[in-house]
Amino acid sequence: MSVGVIGQPCLTTASVFHTLFLNPIDSTCPASNTDPPFESAVIRIAAEPLALAQVYDAMAEDPKSTQDDGAVLVRVLRYQAILTDYSRLAAEAKELGRLLHLTCVQAARGIGIKRAKIMRYRPTMGDMLVEAGVGWRPGVVGHVKTATDVGEAPGRAFQTRQPVVTEDLPNDPEIRYHPVLAEHGIISAVNVPIAVDGVVWGTLEVDSETPRHFSEIDVQFLTAMGNILGMAVQRMLQDRHVEAIAKKAIAEVEQQKTLMRELLHRDKNDFQLIMALLVTQMSKQLGPDVKQAFRHVADRVAAISMAHDQLSIRPETGTIDMGDYLQALCGNFAHRREGVQVEARCEHAELVRERAVPLGLITNELVTNAVKHAFPSGPGTVRVEFTVDHDTEQGCLTIADDGVGMGPPRPGSAGLRLVQSLAAQVGGTVQQNSPGHGTVFNITFPLVV
């Protein structure tokens, strides 16, 4: 039968190929107990490598050999050189299309014919497309398709994952003669599978216009080339997958940044609207106490707004640098009262907004109170410090002044209760000390809950 897969063991050619390609020529090479890396069940390769003298003996003793022993050796060495170069190029290839074309060129060059092609299986279409080729008329590569059933030679190689040799295509009763092959006068062909990650990705095919007998060495050469190509394709597909994941992640991050900027922009507009409403209502009030209450509320809203300003500086992190935030708050107080200085010495620490805002409001309350009441008759200094104990993962916010000290609570004042309530929101405690002069507040809290 003219079509099929090579199934008869041939010690001479198989042993030569195994010795010269799969193992370097070495008369001292020890015997191997493992099968050579050739997966097709239809081609049998000698299990043990032969010494160079044994190669010549085997070739001389093979009664089926119709080729000169020296020519066989030359062909094997030629295949070995081509595969060595091809494997290096395949490992370095970056573009799949160029690698597929190179494979066709090298396969045709190795076998010594003009035409070769690579067909890729398309799962969504259920067919095989000519993805690359040499020696074909324009319009074949990228357009011609074949079926994947065993009635087509590429389909049979695809379905069985075994090499398929067809020596008389026009007259073979089992294989359909594809119109493109008939157009080019193809008589004999070999198809070998290309496996990617254990799944047949496509086939490599060489086509001859003259009747051609393809030996086991020819088929093994093409099979080795198909295996190398499969590993290269797998690497490229993995690289594409990783690149796609990276691009998707970058796009998602950029989208999140855009959304964050938009939200912060809207928040800023909302804060400005709230401030406008407060100022409008405050201007309508007649009583000084009511106006003062409105000012306190406006200061608190401003402190929260300033935290959102810090977020807008670092939208990619979603956190607030507590040192920068407190520095900005203190800068806002620097010109509230002539002669009163507000100094800030703050370490840097990243806190989420939900923890940074209560600490900012505490700072706003205590600094505002000190600026207004701690220095009734002269200048003074309010000191804001923020320190981090990395061993205990504790933060400490200190607001101190060198004024007259804190007296009993004023009627209607809720400032200290508000400070204690805000400290509780971050799991912190408030300690108030009154040294010889002035007042010191220490708010200690865990950095991470």
Side-chain angles (χ1 to χ4, degrees):
M1 183 174 64
S2 60
V3 62
V5 288
I6 300 179
Q8 297 299 324
C10 180
L11 258 190
T12 300
T13 55
S15 300
V16 170
F17 188 82
H18 181 252
T19 302
L20 296 180
F21 176 61
L22 299 179
N23 295 282
I25 298 176
D26 187 351
S27 59
T28 62
C29 180
S32 172
N33 294 323
T34 60
D35 292 334
F38 187 70
E39 297 182 359
S40 173
V42 297
I43 297 182
R44 311 299 182 187
I45 302 177
E48 296 183 356
L50 304 177
L52 186 58
Q54 292 175 292
V55 172
Y56 285 109
D57 292 342
M59 290 194 302
E61 293 172 1
D62 184 5
K64 298 180 181 178
S65 177
T66 60
Q67 298 177 328
D68 177 73
D69 295 344
V72 172
L73 183 58
V74 168
R75 183 193 296 183
V76 171
L77 291 173
R78 183 162 171 264
Y79 284 166
Q80 183 185 29
I82 291 174
L83 288 172
T84 300
D85 291 339
Y86 173 72
S87 62
R88 175 181 57 81
L89 294 172
E92 298 172 353
K94 301 297 183 184
E95 298 181 14
L96 180 58
R98 295 183 63 181
L99 176 60
L100 297 181
H101 178 76
L102 171 67
T103 304
C104 294
V105 172
Q106 294 287 55
R109 169 196 166 204
I111 297 297
I113 56 179
K114 292 189 291 186
R115 293 183 175 88
K117 63 179 180 285
I118 289 176
M119 309 198 70
R120 174 178 61 88
Y121 172 60
R122 301 192 300 178
T124 57
M125 305 301 293
D127 60 14
M128 301 184 74
L129 174 69
V130 178
E131 194 74 27
V134 292
W136 306 96
R137 64 165 174 79
V140 172
V141 176
H143 300 281
V144 173
K145 299 172 282 291
T146 66
T148 57
D149 66 302
V150 295
E152 296 272 4
R156 181 170 295 195
F158 171 77
Q159 295 290 351
T160 63
R161 198 177 174 178
Q162 295 177 359
V164 175
V165 179
T166 312
E167 297 183 351
D168 188 9
L169 272 167
N171 302 308
D172 194 287
E174 295 187 17
I175 297 296
R176 292 190 297 272
Y177 197 25
H178 196 280
V180 171
L181 299 182
E183 177 186 350
H184 289 79
I186 302 302
I187 303 299
S188 304
V190 178
N191 278 271
V192 296
I194 302 168
V196 175
D197 197 21
V199 178
V200 178
W201 177 85
T203 61
L204 168 62
E205 178 180 316
V206 293
D207 302 273
S208 174
E209 297 173 340
T210 59
R212 173 77 177 263
H213 170 71
F214 296 98
S215 67
E216 285 192 34
I217 292 180
D218 298 332
V219 176
Q220 290 178 27
F221 165 71
L222 294 172
T223 301
M225 184 167 285
N227 290 340
I228 295 171
L229 176 59
M231 289 185 288
V233 171
Q234 180 176 347
R235 172 182 59 81
M236 289 183 176
L237 293 178
Q238 289 175 342
D239 290 345
R240 286 183 181 180
H241 181 63
V242 171
E243 184 179 353
I245 292 176
K247 287 183 178 179
K248 182 179 179 181
I250 292 173
E252 290 177 350
V253 169
E254 290 300 322
Q255 183 180 20
Q256 290 297 324
K257 289 181 180 179
T258 301
L259 292 174
M260 177 65 75
R261 285 191 291 267
E262 179 64 23
L263 288 173
L264 291 173
H265 180 69
R266 292 181 180 181
D267 286 344
K268 188 64 177 178
N269 290 341
D270 291 342
F271 282 121
Q272 291 173 345
L273 176 61
I274 293 171
M275 291 294 286
L277 293 173
L278 288 172
V279 171
T280 300
Q281 292 298 318
M282 182 175 63
S283 65
K284 295 179 180 180
Q285 306 303 317
L286 299 177
D289 292 339
V290 177
K291 285 181 177 289
Q292 186 65 28
F294 270 99
R295 288 193 186 95
H296 285 166
V297 174
D299 285 342
R300 292 162 185 167
V301 172
I304 300 174
S305 177
M306 199 169 292
H308 282 259
D309 291 342
Q310 294 296 318
L311 274 177
S312 65
I313 298 174
R314 305 152 52 88
E316 69 280 357
T317 65
T319 59
I320 295 174
D321 187 309
M322 202 61 201
D324 292 342
Y325 178 33
L326 293 175
Q327 191 74 43
L329 281 174
C330 292
N332 188 40
F333 287 112
H335 307 288
R336 292 289 182 92
R337 181 175 171 182
E338 185 177 357
V340 176
Q341 297 181 347
V342 179
E343 299 177 351
R345 291 192 292 271
C346 304
E347 297 182 11
H348 295 280
E350 300 290 330
L351 295 181
V352 295
R353 182 186 62 83
E354 291 77 10
R355 297 179 66 75
V357 168
L359 294 170
L361 290 173
I362 290 173
T363 303
N364 179 78
E365 292 296 321
L366 295 178
V367 173
T368 298
N369 185 73
V371 169
K372 291 176 59 177
H373 304 292
F375 312 102
S377 59
T381 301
V382 180
R383 179 171 47 88
V384 177
E385 293 183 357
F386 176 67
T387 57
V388 176
D389 188 337
H390 294 284
D391 293 332
T392 61
E393 289 294 321
Q394 294 278 320
C396 181
L397 174 62
T398 300
I399 293 92
D401 65 74
D402 56 2
V404 297
M406 191 171 184
R410 297 181 305 278
S413 174
L416 188 56
R417 291 200 304 272
L418 178 61
V419 167
Q420 292 172 337
S421 175
L422 290 169
Q425 291 183 23
V426 296
T429 58
V430 180
Q431 291 183 341
Q432 176 185 351
N433 298 309
S434 296
H437 61 279
T439 304
V440 179
F441 284 92
N442 290 306
I443 296 89
T444 305
F445 60 96
L447 292 174
V448 180
V449 176

